[in-house]
Each structure stands twice: as structure tokens, then as C-alpha cells.
Amino acid sequence: MKHVWLQKTLKWLDLPEDLDPNVPRITTLGRDSMLVENLKSLRRCTQGEVLLLTGAGTLLVKGENLQVKELGQSRALITGDLQSWGFEV
Amino acid sequence: MWHFLLGYVILQIEGVYPERLLGLLRQQGVALWDVYRDGESLTCSLLSRDFRRLHALNRRCRCRIHIKGKRGGVFLVRRLLKRWVLLIGMCLTLLVFWWASRRIWLLDIEGCRQMDGTVLRQALYDQGLFPGARADRLYLMDIGSDIAARYEELSFVSLHVDGIVLRVKVRETLQPPDAPRDLSFPCHVIAAKAGVITAITALRGQAKVQVGDKVQPGQVLISGEVTAYDGSTSYRTHAYGQVQAAVVYQAQVMAPKTQTDWAYSNEEAPFGAICWRDKTLVQTRSPFWEHEQVIESIVPLSPWPLCIQRGVYREKIQQQRPLSVQEQQQAAMEQAQLQALLQVPRQAKILMLNPYTLEKNGELWGVCTVTAEENIGITKEIDQ
């Protein structure tokens, strides 16, 4: 309920929606790195896949030689040969 | 870079679910980086100061933690602290660098073409600018002006400290080029002043005086009317050349009988001031035109560096003091010497200076004669 209200308020005030901590912001730079902001937690980290929990669901990043280069309180920088990413159903 | 400076630990975490431990660390605000799976274990890096928190959180996750490596400045310093000789050497080197970097070690002179560089270096040396001198304690602008004023060859001297190099930029005085001599009219070279000839070089015309001759103003020194040895032919020319003569300048000054000195009147006024260290913050005004401040007591206001000064202003007035005979002679000779020297042209070379006193009509006079060597020749057109 709080989440819905926050989203509505942000829209009404014409503010970017990623101010809501439940909305993940994903930025990829080429095929080498991906920055995930508004992160909840790191579920799994292997060389082939990285599983991250976000407000919008579980984000699965697949690739080779994956590495979490930086893991902060609300952001993670994943590097390696990225192949695909998506939210798990 | 910050991670390296603060020091960090590379950990290998083994267990059923090491990601959970990372999640807990994240919640505690611990920054992690370089997280990757290495077989069954998970490797990550964290700051050394966060390492203690890891142990407390690990009790809940039951993971095994191995330290793979320690990196960064903190560990490097700890290792270096054991090698105290090396550490002292480093500190001493830094100290020497710091000490040396505040001083002038090299001198770079630019624009010194006509003037001898050694003379300029010596002048700088005399002003305290030598290798090893502290640059921040010297007033470079004043030194530059002083040197430029002292040497006629220099018109401007700029001093600038660039690290350990003192850059000296010199602008030399440019002499105006000699105006082309107009040789179209016949003329003599005559004496402008009375004197005794010390040197004569007739470049054109016929010399009429010799070295040692006494000449009067207006006397022909180099004649523009040239006659052949046998007197058969004569012609007129534009005479010119150098004629140096010893010229005497004299000045007479009556000896002063009194001298104005500062003396104390017996008037006094109270003085009070509040000072912060050596700086006066407020003080009472003096009612006198000229005064001397006499501090009688200082009361410190501890614990602050304040103090109250008390004393008196003593009035100073000008008084005429009669001079003794010796003082009159001394003052008369000094004044006469000054007056005589002021008459001597700048280009003249002073050969002799003779100050003395004499009594004339019951008064004491200071006399000074200055003998100077100078060029006394001037041109005078020959009447047609």
C-alpha cells in the first residue's frame, strides 16, 4: 500500500520513479558491466549467473566469469561477459 | 585508492549459503567488492576495519572464513614499523626534502648581456640571496629595486622564486645612440671651464694646448683653422676631439653656531594600552605633538595572552643647542663638502677632495675644494 502511494506521489510530483527504493534501476555498459541500483539483496553468485533480489522481483544475470565488482547497501556492479538478464517469473 | 590507503582484506568464505553472510554485511553498511565464486567458496574483499563485524555476523551463518590476503597502507605501515632504521631514514629524507624545498639553491639570470654576471651575483649575495637562503624571509621586490638603483647599467631587476630556483630577470639600460656629427661647418673646440689639461686627443683640427697647460674659459683648445707646417696653405675644418682637464670646484659654508636637537619638556600625560601578545589593541591618545612612550608596568590577564600596559607619554620638543668649536668645524666641513660635490658633474672623475676650515672676519668658515677630471671641450663655430 505504501509502495503504491509512493509511486503515485512521485508521478504526481513529476519526479523520477527510481527514487522509489522498490523500483530497480538497471544500467548496462556494453557487454562488460551492469549496474543494478535499488537492490534488496544478493541471492546467489556464481561464475555463470548472479541472482539479485530487487523490489520488482528476482533479477537473473547470466554470463561467463561473472563477478560482483562492488556490492553496496543498495547497488551492485556486475562485471564479466554478460549474455542475458531478466526477471524470474 | 582509498581501499588501498585504508587497508583491506581478501576473504574466502566457505559454507552452505555464503551469500546470506554477504547480505547481512550489506545490511550493516559494510561495503564489499570483487565478489566472485571460486569453486565451492566465495571470494570477496572488505575494509580491514569492517573485519571484526564479520565474525559477529558469521555466528548466524556458520560459514568458514579464510583470509586470502591483506593489502593496503595499514598493513604496509605495520610491516615497516618493524624496520625502524628504514623508517627513520625515510623520515629524515622527507625532513631534508622539506627543509631544502624552502630554500634557494639555483640562480637563473636572464637578460644580463653587458653587465658582468659575477657582479650581479655578488650584489645578490650581499643582499642575502645565496644558495641555501630562505626565500620566504626576503623582500624580493625591495631587493630588486635596490640592486637596480645601485647599478647604472641596470634599469629593472625582477626576482621571482620558482621552487628552489631564483629567477632573476634583468633589463639593462640602453644608451642612446650618438647623434651623427654634422661636419659641414668649420668650428673650434674651446674650453668650457678653467682647468689644467690632463689629456688631449685631436681627432680633427690642430691641438693648440698641451698636457699640463692651464686654460681659461673660451680658450681655443683644438683649432679648426689648420695651417701647413711651412705656412704655405691653410684651410678651415670642423675640429673635434677629447680634451680632459682637472677642474677645481670650491664651496664655502659659514659654520653653524647652534644645532636643533630633540629634548624632553617636563610635561607628561598618562598612557594605558591593552595588548594581545605584542600587538596593541587599544591605547590612550597622546596630547603631545611629539612624544616618547614610557611603559612603567605590565599587568598580564592570564590565562589569555592579554595584558594591560600602564605608563606615561613624555613630551619631546625641539631645542637649539650651542655647538662647541670642534663641532662647528666638523659641521662646516661636512656642509662645504656636500655643497662642493653637488657642483661636480656626474660624468666627472673626482681626483682630490680637500675639506678645511678658516677664520674670516671673526667667523668660522668651512671650505672644501674638489678637483675633478672631465671633458671641458665644446664646439664654437668660426666666424666667416
Side-chain angles (χ1 to χ4, degrees):
Chain A
M1 195 66 179
K2 184 186 168 188
H3 169 63
V4 176
W5 270 106
L6 187 62
Q7 274 198 333
K8 279 185 179 176
T9 314
L10 289 172
K11 272 185 184 173
W12 183 67
L13 292 170
D14 281 342
L15 288 167
E17 282 182 53
D18 56 348
L19 283 176
D20 180 1
N22 289 310
V23 176
R25 182 191 173 99
I26 301 160
T27 314
T28 55
L29 192 70
R31 293 189 63 169
D32 300 331
S33 59
M34 174 188 272
L35 179 69
V36 184
E37 287 165 288
N38 292 344
L39 175 76
K40 294 273 183 204
S41 72
L42 175 73
R43 277 291 172 86
R44 190 166 68 238
C45 175
T46 63
Q47 287 201 336
E49 61 180 37
V50 175
L51 206 63
L52 301 161
L53 187 66
T54 67
T58 312
L59 176 71
L60 177 66
V61 183
K62 285 186 178 175
E64 284 177 15
N65 301 320
L66 293 180
Q67 187 179 353
V68 182
K69 198 73 189 165
E70 193 187 313
L71 185 63
Q73 235 174 350
S74 65
R75 51 181 266 160
L77 177 70
I78 301 159
T79 57
D81 298 328
L82 300 176
Q83 285 171 352
S84 66
W85 62 272
F87 287 99
E88 280 194 335
V89 183
Chain B
M1 191 188 76
W2 288 112
H3 292 157
F4 184 82
L5 287 175
L6 295 167
Y8 64 95
V9 191
I10 303 166
L11 299 173
Q12 193 174 24
I13 306 166
E14 288 176 358
V16 183
Y17 193 29
E19 283 88 350
R20 187 164 175 249
L21 179 62
L22 298 189
L24 288 169
L25 281 168
R26 236 173 35 79
Q27 280 177 2
Q28 294 284 320
V30 175
L32 300 159
W33 66 95
D34 289 346
V35 183
Y36 62 92
R37 178 70 69 171
D38 186 13
E40 289 298 311
S41 61
L42 199 72
T43 305
C44 70
S45 303
L46 78 163
L47 288 174
S48 56
R49 67 180 179 205
D50 296 327
F51 186 68
R52 285 186 181 179
R53 285 201 266 180
L54 180 72
H55 276 287
L57 294 168
N58 188 34
R59 284 181 202 137
R60 287 197 257 168
C61 302
R62 293 179 184 177
C63 292
R64 274 188 295 175
I65 299 163
H66 302 285
I67 297 171
K68 271 181 83 174
K70 295 172 182 175
R71 307 268 192 280
V74 178
F75 301 109
L76 197 71
V77 169
R78 272 186 203 163
R79 251 180 290 161
L80 282 173
L81 281 173
K82 290 173 190 167
R83 302 176 67 180
W84 59 275
V85 177
L86 184 72
L87 207 68
I88 290 169
M90 274 171 66
C91 290
L92 281 174
T93 312
L94 286 172
L95 204 70
V96 168
F97 268 109
W98 175 79
W99 177 83
S101 65
R102 292 156 65 90
R103 282 155 201 278
I104 295 166
W105 295 106
L106 298 166
L107 203 65
D108 178 32
I109 299 174
E110 191 185 313
C112 194
R113 293 182 188 88
Q114 291 169 6
M115 193 185 178
D116 190 1
T118 324
V119 177
L120 186 59
R121 277 170 198 274
Q122 185 60 43
L124 292 166
Y125 191 94
D126 293 344
Q127 295 280 353
L129 287 168
F130 45 81
R134 283 274 299 268
D136 52 347
R137 288 189 179 170
L138 297 163
Y139 298 101
L140 296 176
M141 199 179 276
D142 292 350
I143 292 171
S145 310
D146 193 30
I147 293 171
R150 198 186 297 173
Y151 295 97
E152 281 182 11
E153 300 96 318
L154 305 175
S155 64
F156 178 73
V157 177
S158 148
L159 301 169
H160 165 65
V161 177
D162 188 6
I164 58 162
V165 184
L166 176 71
R167 299 199 187 280
V168 184
K169 282 187 183 173
V170 173
R171 292 283 173 273
E172 290 179 332
T173 313
L174 293 173
Q175 296 295 334
D178 291 335
R181 190 178 284 274
D182 181 14
L183 303 171
S184 62
F185 61 96
C187 67
H188 297 304
V189 174
I190 61 163
K193 295 172 184 175
V196 178
I197 302 295
T198 55
I200 181 162
T201 313
L203 296 169
R204 201 163 171 169
Q206 205 164 30
K208 291 287 178 189
V209 290
Q210 291 178 338
V211 173
D213 287 356
K214 198 175 176 183
V215 294
Q216 294 301 319
Q219 187 177 334
V220 176
L221 304 172
I222 303 171
S223 175
E225 287 178 341
V226 182
T227 314
Y229 288 112
D230 55 357
S232 57
T233 56
S234 70
Y235 64 93
R236 286 182 171 185
T237 186
H238 183 104
Y240 69 90
Q242 284 282 322
V243 186
Q244 295 285 329
V247 181
V248 178
Y249 296 91
Q250 194 181 55
Q252 286 190 12
V253 176
M254 193 188 281
K257 290 193 170 52
T258 56
Q259 187 178 309
T260 309
D261 282 340
W262 286 101
Y264 295 112
S265 71
N266 292 324
E267 294 290 319
E268 284 185 354
F271 160 75
I274 300 171
C275 301
W276 176 274
R277 290 202 173 96
D278 298 333
K279 197 176 173 184
T280 306
L281 299 176
V282 280
Q283 68 175 51
T284 51
R285 282 192 177 184
S286 166
F288 308 123
W289 182 256
E290 284 293 333
H291 64 265
E292 194 190 58
Q293 224 168 271
V294 182
I295 298 164
E296 289 171 346
S297 66
I298 299 172
V299 182
L301 297 173
S302 52
W304 304 287
L306 277 166
C307 66
I308 296 172
Q309 293 180 348
R310 284 178 188 282
V312 286
Y313 285 116
R314 294 175 71 187
E315 191 188 20
K316 282 166 86 177
I317 51 166
Q318 285 188 328
Q319 276 186 344
Q320 294 287 325
R321 179 175 67 86
L323 293 173
S324 66
V325 177
Q326 277 187 344
E327 284 174 327
Q328 283 182 32
Q329 285 177 343
Q330 186 66 31
M333 281 197 294
E334 281 175 7
Q335 285 181 24
Q337 187 173 321
L338 186 68
Q339 292 293 327
L341 285 172
L342 283 171
Q343 295 175 44
V344 179
R346 204 175 172 188
Q347 298 82 8
K349 192 171 122 190
I350 292 169
L351 300 175
M352 202 166 64
L353 196 70
N354 182 27
Y356 57 94
T357 53
L358 58 88
E359 270 197 49
K360 206 160 59 178
N361 304 329
E363 297 285 345
L364 189 65
W365 288 75
V367 184
C368 183
T369 54
V370 179
T371 310
E373 188 183 40
E374 61 181 278
N375 186 11
I376 58 163
I378 53 167
T379 55
K380 190 194 173 193
E381 207 170 333
I382 302 169
D383 299 329
Q384 295 296 321

